[in-house]
Amino acid sequence: MPAGGGRAARRGHGPVPRDAGDIAGAAFPPSFTDTEALLVGTGRRAPIGAERAALGAPAERLPFVIG
């Protein structure tokens, strides 16, 4: 397994973030796929009830604005 917990590293920049949650400073629950985390985290899709409950307090900060 590569260094960085299986994440590919870019030269001089450390591990590549797994998803929008890593980039925005909030982790998504493990029940979210990468696609679900990106769609919900960027506001392209609203979280459904179970997802909102799993997110807890960070759900109030959606979508995460990056940039």
Side-chain angles (χ1 to χ4, degrees):
M1 179 175 279
R7 298 178 185 172
R10 295 174 288 169
R11 186 175 35 202
H13 297 286
V16 176
R18 184 181 79 82
D19 60 31
D22 287 344
I23 295 167
F28 280 87
S31 60
F32 278 69
T33 65
D34 289 348
T35 300
E36 291 168 335
L38 287 168
L39 290 173
V40 171
T42 59
R44 293 186 179 262
R45 180 173 70 75
I48 60 173
E51 292 171 335
R52 184 169 288 284
L55 284 165
E60 301 304 317
R61 298 189 350 238
L62 292 174
F64 295 127
V65 178
I66 301 169

